[in-house]
Amino acid sequence: MAGKRNARDVTPSPPINKSGTSTPTTAAPAVKTVTSKSKDANLSAQEVAVAMWDNYVKATPQRTKLIDVFMAFLVVVGVLQFVYCVIVGNYPFNAFLSGFSATVGQFVLTASLRIQTNAENKAEFESISPERAFADYVFGSLILHFFCVNFIN
Amino acid sequence: MTVATENSYLKGAKGRNTRGLLRLVILCTIAAAAVSSRLFSVIRFESIIHEFDPWFNFRATKYLVANGFYDFWDWFDDRTWHPLGRVTGGTLYPGLMVTSGAIYHALRALTLPVDIRNICVLLAPGFSGLTAFATYLFTNEMSTTPSAGLLAAIFMGIAPGYISRSVAGSYDNEAIAIFLLVFTFYLWIKAIKLGSAFWGALCALFYGYMVSAWGGYVFITNLIPLHVFVLVCMGRFSSRVYVSYCTWYALGTLASMQIPFVGFLPIRSSEHMSALGVFGLLQLIGFVEFVRSGVPSKQFQTLLRGFVFLVFSVAFGGLVLLTVSGVIAPWTGRFYSLWDTGYAKIHIPIIASVSEHQPTAWPAFFFDLNLLIWLFPAGVYLCFLKLSDEQVFVVVYSILASYFSGVMVRLMLTLTPIVCVTAAMVLSTILETYLSMKSPRSDAESVAAEAAAGKKNAASKGGLRSMRNPLVGIYTVVSKSTVVGAMTLYLLVFVLHCTWVTSNAYSSPSVVLASKLPDGSQHIIDDYREAYQWLRQNTKEDAKIMSWWDYGYQIGGMADRPTLVDNNTWNNTHIATVGKAMSSSEEVSYPIMRQHEVDYVLVVFGGLLGYSGDDINKFLWMVRIAEGIWPEEVKERDFFTPRGEYKVDHDATDTMKNSLMYKMSYYNYNGLFPPGQAQDRVRGAKLPDVGPVLNSIEEAYTSENWIIRIYKVKDLDNVGREHGAAASFERGNKKKKAAKKRGAKVLRVE
C-alpha cells in the first residue's frame, strides 16, 4: 500500500512492467507494429504521469488535497514503523501491530472519506451526504483508536 | 425491536398503520413461538443445563458473576486438567459468559433478582427470538417483497436445525452466535448496499462480538472476503465495495485481536489470510481505478491490469512462501479436516471421535429443515435471476454453507439461516404471484395482451401461437386457490413437523434419562446427578477424579471436584494418558494414577439398563488415542478377538479382560444375576461366570441403576507389597505347602 501511492509520482516502474506484460497480453491490436506501439506506450506512460499530476493539481478541490496530504503522511508513518520493525525486530508484537494497523486503518478510513465526499461519486452514494460521511469517519476513527489503545497495552 | 420494526415500516406509503401494526404483531408472535417451542425440556423435566459443554460455560459464568469481570479475564483454573491447570481467561470465548453476566446485572439493577442458572438456561430461547428478528432484517435487505422477511423470521424461529442447538438449557456458544452471525451479515449487506462507513464499522463491532462468542467466526472471516472477491471477479467493483470492506476489515480485525484466545491469529494463521489478501487486492484495485479515472488511454489500462495481476500473483506467491516457511501457521486440524475429510480419522482420532464431526446423511437435511430444503435450491436460482450485490452474497453463502454442512453434521447450524432466507424468498414470490386478486388482462383486447395471454387462450387458438406466446399470468381463482392452498398446507405441515421434531428429538436433557413405564407414566433415571452429588458430599474438597474426557465438565460443574481431563481437549497427550490408564492392566494403570494423584475413578456403565453411550462403547476411542502416543504399549489389535470382533463375553481377549475399564465396568456385576446368567444389555452378551477381580482400587459407589460407578484408588500397601500380592494374600491364596525353595532374588542394592 505504501508503494502504491508513491508509484503515481515515481514513473520508472510502469515502463518496465509494460515491456514484460503488454506484448503477450495485448495481442488484439495486431495491426500496429510492435515497435511503434511500445514507443507510443513509452511516451504515453511518461506523459500520462506528468499530465496526471498536472490534472490532479488543477482539478482537485482544496479539501481533497488536504485529505491526500494526510494520507501521504499516514503512508510515511506506516512505512517508517515497518522499516523500524524490520530493522529492530518485532518484540512487543502487539505494540507494532496496533501502531501499524492504526496507520493502515486510518488510511483506509480516510480513503473512504475521500471517496464518499468526492463529487464525482455522487451517484454511487446518493444516501450519504458529505457531512454524514464525515460523521461516519469520526465514528470509525474513534472505534479504531479505542481498539488500538486497548491493544497496545 | 419494536422501534426498528416501526422504522422500517414507516417507509410504506398507504395503510401504514395497519400494516405496521400487523408486522409488529407478527414479529412478536414469531418471537413468542421461537421462545416457547424451546421450552419443552424445561416444562417436562426441570430448568437445568443439558449437555456436556454447557456445564463449563455455566461454571465460568458463575465464576464471572461471583468474582467480577477482571478476575474472570485472568482466571487460572486449577480444578481442571489436574497437574497442569488451565488458563481459562485466555482459552475461552468470553462472549457468552459476559452476555449472561450483563443480563444478570441488568436484571438485578431492575430489582429483579433472577438466579444466574435461570438466565443461563433461558438465554438460548431469548436469543432465538432475536435471531428471528435479525433474519427478518436480513431478508428484507435481500428481497423487495415485504412478506419474505416475515416468512424467513418464522422459519428461522422454529426450524429444527437451529432449535437443536438452542433449546432451553443448552447454554452453548451457538446460543448467541447464530444471532450474531445473522446480524453481522445483515449489517454487512447494509454496508455494501449503502457504501457506508458507519454500517461497515457497526458490522465490524458485531463481528468483534461474534469473535468473542464462537470459534465459528472464521466462517464470517472467509465468507465476506469471498463475497467481495466474487464481486470483483464479476467486474462489480465499486467504491461502495471498497468503503464497506476496508472499514469492516480494518476495524474488525483489530476488534477480533482484542480477544485473548484469538490474539495474533488474524495475522498469523491461514484461515484469516483470505481476508487480508482481499484487503490488499482492494487497495490495488482502488488505486488502479483511481488512476484510470484520470487517464482514458486504452494502453494504460491494459498496462495497469497487468500490473494488478502481477502484484496479486506476487502477493499470493509470497503468502504461499510464508506459509511453507512457517511464518504463517497452516490450517489447524479442525479446519483442515473440512477439506480433506479423511484427515481427522487417520491423524487426529480425538477430532474424529466426536459424533458431531461426522458427515451428514441425507435424511438429516430433511429432518432438520423439512420443506425448506427443497425450496432452498429454488431460492438460490431466484437469486441468480436478479443478481445484484446482495444476491451474490446469498449465492456464495449457500454454496459454501451447503458444502460445509455436508461434511460435518455440526455445521448444519450455519446452513440453516441461509436456507430459511432463500426458502422465504421463494415462498413469498409464489404467494405474491398467486395471491394477487387482479386477473391479467383478458385476451380479447389487443396484440400486446395476446402476447401476454395465458394457457387457456393458447389452448383455444391452436398450437403454434401457444409455442410463441410466453405464459404469463394466472387467470382463474381455482388455480390460484389451489396453489395457495397447497402452499398453506405445506406451511402448516412444516409447523407440525418442527414441533414434533423439537418435542421428540431435541428436547431431552442428557443429564436425566427418561423412560416410559408400561402404563405410560414417566420414569426418570437420575443416576448422573446421584453419583455427582455423592462425589460432592462424600469426598474431600480436592479429591481428583479420573474419568474419560466426556464427563470432565459435568464433574467440574456438578460434583465440583478437580478432574484430569475434560471436554476442552487442548492437551491430547494428557487425554492419551487417561486412555492408557483405562485400557491397561492394573499393574500399569496404578502407577499412572499414583503419579497423577488420582483419588477416584469414575466410569459410566450402561450394561444393566441398556444405556448405549457408556464407556465400554467409547473404549475403542480411548485405546486409539492412547495408541497414538504409546504404540508399543497399547495396541488396538489386542482388544479384538482373533476373528476381529469386539467382545466382552467369554471370547474377550485377555488384554480386554485385564484392562482397567473392563474390570471396573463389570466388577461385582455377576452378583446381580442368578449364577451363570449375567447379561450385558447393551452389547447383548452373556458374561463369564467369574467376574473380574480388582486389586489396586476398590469400589466406592455405584449408582442406583449402575450407570455410574466410582472407585477409590487404594493407598500404597503398608508393608510395601505389590497390590496384587497383597490382595491375593488377603483372599487367602497362600500356598498350603510351605515352599522352602528360594526364589530367584536379586542382590539388594542399598
Side-chain angles (χ1 to χ4, degrees):
Chain A
M1 196 174 63
K4 265 168 287 136
R5 278 263 133 203
N6 297 338
R8 187 186 55 198
D9 309 329
V10 187
T11 39
S13 62
I16 299 165
N17 271 338
K18 178 214 61 60
S19 60
T21 54
S22 68
T23 37
T25 50
T26 59
V31 192
K32 285 187 178 181
T33 60
V34 180
T35 51
S36 73
K37 198 182 78 179
S38 70
K39 202 178 173 187
D40 256 346
N42 220 344
L43 275 178
S44 73
Q46 294 247 328
E47 276 168 10
V48 155
V50 176
M52 259 189 69
W53 178 250
D54 290 343
N55 188 32
Y56 171 78
V57 172
K58 251 185 289 171
T60 317
Q62 188 61 34
R63 219 176 266 173
T64 313
K65 272 184 194 163
L66 200 64
I67 291 179
D68 285 346
V69 170
F70 181 49
M71 283 163 76
F73 166 73
L74 284 172
V75 169
V76 170
V77 172
V79 168
L80 278 182
Q81 285 186 48
F82 193 79
V83 168
Y84 182 79
C85 173
V86 166
I87 294 172
V88 178
N90 60 3
Y91 160 56
F93 192 46
N94 56 340
F96 165 70
L97 268 187
S98 51
F100 189 67
S101 47
T103 54
V104 172
Q106 196 62 51
F107 177 86
V108 169
L109 286 174
T110 318
S112 302
L113 177 66
R114 188 191 191 284
I115 291 172
Q116 287 178 335
T117 51
N118 199 343
E120 292 162 15
N121 292 336
K122 254 291 186 279
E124 196 87 7
F125 303 97
E126 69 250 320
S127 67
I128 298 169
S129 63
E131 290 79 14
R132 171 67 196 264
F134 186 71
D136 288 358
Y137 175 69
V138 170
F139 177 71
S141 306
L142 278 178
I143 295 176
L144 179 80
H145 282 93
F146 168 73
F147 283 144
C148 285
V149 169
N150 191 28
F151 196 57
I152 205 168
N153 282 340
Chain B
M1 187 165 155
T2 56
V3 176
T5 320
E6 277 174 347
N7 277 346
S8 71
Y9 148 69
L10 278 177
K11 286 170 194 155
K14 218 177 154 193
R16 60 188 195 186
N17 277 328
T18 333
R19 271 190 289 160
L21 189 67
L22 262 182
R23 198 161 289 187
L24 186 66
V25 168
I26 291 174
L27 277 176
C28 288
T29 321
I30 288 173
V35 172
S36 56
S37 68
R38 285 164 167 81
L39 298 181
F40 280 111
S41 59
V42 167
I43 291 166
R44 276 188 207 148
F45 304 102
E46 60 193 295
S47 161
I48 49 161
I49 308 286
H50 285 183
E51 299 280 335
F52 299 111
D53 281 9
W55 277 100
F56 169 73
N57 300 332
F58 179 46
R59 183 160 157 257
T61 313
K62 279 201 288 190
Y63 189 88
L64 166 70
V65 168
N67 296 332
F69 183 70
Y70 288 105
D71 276 350
F72 172 71
W73 201 252
D74 31 58
W75 171 30
F76 180 79
D77 186 5
D78 58 352
R79 291 177 80 79
T80 55
W81 294 93
H82 162 57
L84 310 168
R86 173 182 175 190
V87 191
T88 313
T91 55
L92 55 57
Y93 292 105
L96 182 71
M97 297 92 189
V98 172
T99 306
S100 42
I103 293 174
Y104 175 79
H105 286 299
L107 286 178
R108 199 139 276 234
L110 293 172
T111 65
L112 283 171
V114 181
D115 185 20
I116 186 68
R117 174 176 56 89
N118 286 321
I119 290 172
C120 292
V121 166
L122 295 177
L123 188 77
F127 265 85
S128 70
L130 287 180
T131 313
F133 181 60
T135 319
Y136 166 76
L137 293 175
F138 181 73
T139 318
N140 271 358
E141 293 300 318
M142 293 295 160
S143 168
T144 48
T145 64
S147 59
L150 293 172
L151 274 172
I154 185 62
F155 287 160
M156 195 63 200
I158 60 173
Y162 175 42
I163 284 190
S164 65
R165 294 326 215 80
S166 66
V167 289
S170 119
Y171 180 55
D172 215 339
N173 288 331
E174 290 92 333
I176 66 170
I178 296 300
F179 162 66
L180 293 173
L181 186 88
V182 178
F183 202 68
T184 309
F185 286 151
Y186 160 68
L187 293 172
W188 164 246
I189 292 299
K190 197 86 184 166
I192 205 165
K193 264 178 137 177
L194 297 177
S196 152
F198 172 69
W199 289 98
L202 271 190
C203 180
L205 281 183
F206 270 85
Y207 171 72
Y209 190 12
M210 170 78 186
V211 174
S212 77
W214 194 33
Y217 74 90
V218 181
F219 184 62
I220 302 184
T221 325
N222 285 307
L223 190 61
I224 290 181
L226 189 63
H227 178 215
V228 170
F229 188 68
V230 170
L231 284 182
V232 167
C233 289
M234 290 167 79
R236 284 163 174 261
F237 175 80
S238 64
S239 30
R240 281 179 292 121
V241 175
Y242 180 88
V243 171
S244 49
Y245 183 79
C246 291
T247 317
W248 171 77
Y249 181 75
L251 296 178
T253 309
L254 264 176
S256 66
M257 287 194 295
Q258 312 292 320
I259 309 300
F261 193 24
V262 177
F264 298 137
L265 279 186
I267 308 295
R268 289 234 164 115
S269 79
S270 293
E271 291 98 358
H272 301 78
M273 280 304 122
S274 62
L276 183 62
V278 169
F279 180 68
L281 182 70
L282 276 193
Q283 305 303 323
L284 275 182
I285 296 178
F287 174 65
V288 166
E289 294 284 321
F290 173 68
V291 171
R292 199 169 69 172
S293 68
V295 187
S297 159
K298 175 89 177 139
Q299 281 187 344
F300 205 71
Q301 274 181 36
T302 55
L303 190 92
L304 281 170
R305 207 162 280 168
F307 172 68
V308 166
F309 179 73
L310 193 79
V311 172
F312 182 65
S313 50
V314 163
F316 188 74
L319 189 66
V320 170
L321 201 74
L322 280 178
T323 312
V324 169
S325 67
V327 177
I328 295 171
W331 297 82
T332 54
R334 242 162 246 262
F335 285 108
Y336 189 72
S337 61
L338 287 177
W339 303 112
D340 184 356
T341 46
Y343 178 79
K345 197 159 277 175
I346 301 168
H347 294 103
I348 323 169
I350 204 156
I351 291 182
S353 75
V354 181
S355 63
E356 292 173 327
H357 294 173
Q358 306 299 328
T360 319
W362 286 113
F365 282 102
F366 187 73
F367 190 71
D368 275 356
L369 299 164
N370 197 7
L371 92 150
L372 306 183
I373 196 64
W374 51 260
L375 291 176
F376 172 50
V380 177
Y381 172 70
L382 213 64
C383 288
F384 268 111
L385 287 186
K386 191 169 79 72
L387 207 56
S388 58
D389 287 358
E390 60 269 19
Q391 265 84 22
V392 174
F393 182 76
V394 172
V395 172
V396 170
Y397 185 175
S398 316
I399 293 170
L400 209 65
S402 9
Y403 170 74
F404 285 141
S405 67
V407 173
M408 204 183 263
V409 175
R410 193 184 182 178
L411 293 178
M412 183 77 95
L413 195 62
T414 54
L415 178 70
T416 309
I418 198 65
V419 170
C420 291
V421 169
T422 48
M425 285 162 76
V426 173
L427 256 184
S428 70
T429 314
I430 292 176
L431 289 181
E432 195 136 286
T433 316
Y434 284 88
L435 265 183
S436 72
M437 268 311 175
K438 286 186 301 217
S439 258
R441 313 199 58 188
S442 179
D443 50 339
E445 293 202 0
S446 65
V447 186
E450 203 168 293
K455 202 171 196 168
K456 232 173 147 187
N457 181 24
S460 66
K461 288 206 173 173
L464 279 175
R465 187 161 295 178
S466 79
M467 300 292 281
R468 202 171 60 221
N469 291 341
L471 192 72
V472 175
I474 303 101
Y475 287 87
T476 62
V477 181
V478 178
S479 59
K480 278 180 191 169
S481 55
T482 315
V483 173
V484 170
M487 283 301 154
T488 317
L489 192 69
Y490 287 144
L491 286 178
L492 291 176
V493 170
F494 174 69
V495 173
L496 277 185
H497 174 87
C498 290
T499 318
W500 181 81
V501 167
T502 312
S503 158
N504 286 330
Y506 292 141
S507 295
S508 46
S510 62
V511 177
V512 180
L513 309 171
S515 66
K516 282 256 163 68
L517 293 180
D519 60 348
S521 64
Q522 198 177 39
H523 181 236
I524 300 257
I525 296 157
D526 205 3
D527 280 31
Y528 276 100
R529 284 192 296 179
E530 187 190 329
Y532 293 144
Q533 193 67 17
W534 183 86
L535 274 179
R536 183 189 268 270
Q537 288 177 345
N538 297 307
T539 60
K540 61 181 196 298
E541 189 74 8
D542 59 343
K544 281 88 188 169
I545 318 288
M546 182 173 91
S547 72
W548 190 234
W549 60 265
D550 293 12
Y551 316 105
Y553 279 161
Q554 288 193 342
I555 294 173
M558 289 195 248
D560 191 25
R561 290 291 173 268
T563 51
L564 256 68
V565 291
D566 63 29
N567 305 42
N568 167 276
T569 54
W570 62 276
N571 189 333
N572 192 25
T573 316
H574 208 53
I575 292 178
T577 309
V578 172
K580 185 184 172 191
M582 294 285 196
S583 56
S584 306
S585 65
E586 269 186 88
E587 292 78 36
V588 181
S589 313
Y590 185 72
I592 296 177
M593 294 193 284
R594 290 294 302 183
Q595 280 163 4
H596 291 87
E597 300 174 344
V598 175
D599 296 302
Y600 291 92
V601 188
L602 180 148
V603 291
V604 175
F605 173 66
L608 183 63
L609 214 61
Y611 169 61
S612 61
D614 66 350
D615 275 348
I616 295 282
N617 280 358
K618 290 173 188 166
F619 189 40
L620 279 180
W621 286 110
M622 304 184 201
V623 173
R624 274 173 210 153
I625 290 169
E627 190 181 10
I629 308 285
W630 295 280
E632 297 300 315
E633 297 170 56
V634 184
K635 293 196 187 71
E636 190 183 349
R637 187 67 193 83
D638 293 344
F639 292 85
F640 293 119
T641 60
R643 292 169 59 195
E645 293 163 320
Y646 178 62
K647 288 207 158 182
V648 292
D649 51 10
H650 298 278
D651 299 337
T653 58
D654 281 345
T655 321
M656 181 74 191
K657 280 182 177 166
N658 286 327
S659 67
L660 192 67
M661 175 57 73
Y662 182 90
K663 285 183 172 180
M664 286 194 297
S665 293
Y666 294 110
Y667 183 66
N668 277 348
Y669 188 57
N670 282 336
L672 278 181
F673 298 89
Q677 292 184 21
Q679 179 84 9
D680 184 328
R681 295 208 175 114
V682 176
R683 264 72 51 180
K686 201 158 157 255
L687 294 172
D689 293 337
V690 185
V693 178
L694 282 171
N695 295 327
S696 51
I697 56 180
E698 58 196 356
E699 185 175 359
Y701 181 78
T702 296
S703 64
E704 185 188 353
N705 298 298
W706 287 58
I707 287 188
I708 302 232
R709 315 199 62 184
I710 299 171
Y711 291 87
K712 186 173 182 3
V713 178
K714 279 186 192 166
D715 214 341
L716 286 175
D717 189 54
N718 272 339
V719 233
R721 294 168 297 182
E722 296 274 322
H723 274 111
S728 162
F729 180 78
E730 294 286 327
R731 278 192 296 270
N733 281 350
K734 199 168 50 167
K735 282 189 181 122
K736 289 288 182 277
K737 353 172 216 182
K740 286 292 178 196
K741 206 169 37 168
R742 285 188 181 177
K745 297 233 167 140
V746 286
L747 182 67
R748 197 174 76 191
V749 194
E750 194 51 45

